[in-house]
């Protein structure tokens, strides 16, 4: 196994954690920070599972790509000799239902994907 692009915390997470340590964030920003923290925790757990692979594999984390002027992010990409696997990691808790291809929590709140990734920095 070879990690070509290591996992690192998102810039937004680092920024909001710094702000949160200095001042009380408004409720919406605190909730967003908690979601980023849960997401980073889920990705870290997935990284721990991938480290157990014994196969010859290249692993790239947090790839931001662009197709037709649209940016998207792949959480983990595993490249084996004959197959490529892309992983989208979520770290949600609770009960959910799907209506018209949209996810909702048991309280009826819509579960949104993180904002579209912008150009790489």
């Amino acid at each position: 196994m070879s990690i070509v692009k290591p996992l690192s915390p998102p810039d937004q997470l680092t920024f909001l954690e710094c702000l949160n340590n200095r001042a009380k964030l408004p409720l919406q920003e605190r909730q967003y920070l908690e979601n980023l923290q849960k997401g980073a925790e889920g990705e870290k757990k997935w990284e721990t599972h991938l480290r157990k692979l014994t196969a010859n594999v290249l692993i790239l984390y947090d790839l931001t790509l662009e197709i037709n002027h649209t940016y998207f992010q792949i959480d983990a990409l595993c490249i084996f000799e004959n197959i490529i696997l892309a992983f989208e990691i979520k770290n949600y808790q609770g009960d959910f239902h799907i209506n018209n291809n949209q996810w909702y929590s048991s309280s009826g709140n819509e579960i949104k994907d993180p904002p579209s990734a912008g150009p790489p920095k």
Side-chain angles (χ1 to χ4, degrees):
M1 173 184 42
S2 177
I3 298 176
V4 178
K5 184 175 183 301
L7 181 64
S8 60
D11 291 340
Q12 287 178 317
L13 174 58
T14 304
F15 177 73
L16 284 174
E17 284 178 333
C18 289
L19 282 180
N20 191 48
N21 289 335
R22 299 188 64 109
K24 185 174 181 177
L25 293 175
L27 178 61
Q28 188 174 5
E29 279 75 20
R30 282 196 318 262
Q31 289 172 333
Y32 184 58
L33 172 59
E34 288 173 10
N35 286 339
L36 288 174
Q37 289 170 327
K38 285 181 185 178
E41 178 184 317
E43 289 181 5
K44 194 72 176 161
K45 285 180 183 178
W46 188 246
E47 178 191 36
T48 300
H49 290 298
L50 290 181
R51 285 184 185 272
K52 297 174 186 174
L53 290 174
T54 57
N56 188 18
V57 57
L58 300 175
I59 302 175
L60 297 94
Y61 292 100
D62 296 325
L63 293 178
T64 301
L65 304 171
E66 182 238 342
I67 295 178
N68 296 328
H69 307 291
T70 300
Y71 292 91
F72 62 97
Q73 190 247 350
I74 298 173
D75 291 330
L77 187 73
C78 295
I79 304 171
F80 295 88
E81 185 175 333
N82 294 315
I83 192 167
I84 297 174
L85 299 173
F87 295 97
E88 172 67 19
I89 293 100
K90 297 293 182 199
N91 191 21
Y92 295 136
Q93 294 175 265
D95 296 324
F96 302 92
H97 67 275
I98 302 171
N99 187 7
N100 293 328
N101 289 324
Q102 185 55 53
W103 287 63
Y104 296 90
S105 68
S106 57
S107 62
N109 293 328
E110 183 178 344
I111 305 298
K112 298 183 182 203
D113 272 344
S116 296
K121 296 176 184 167

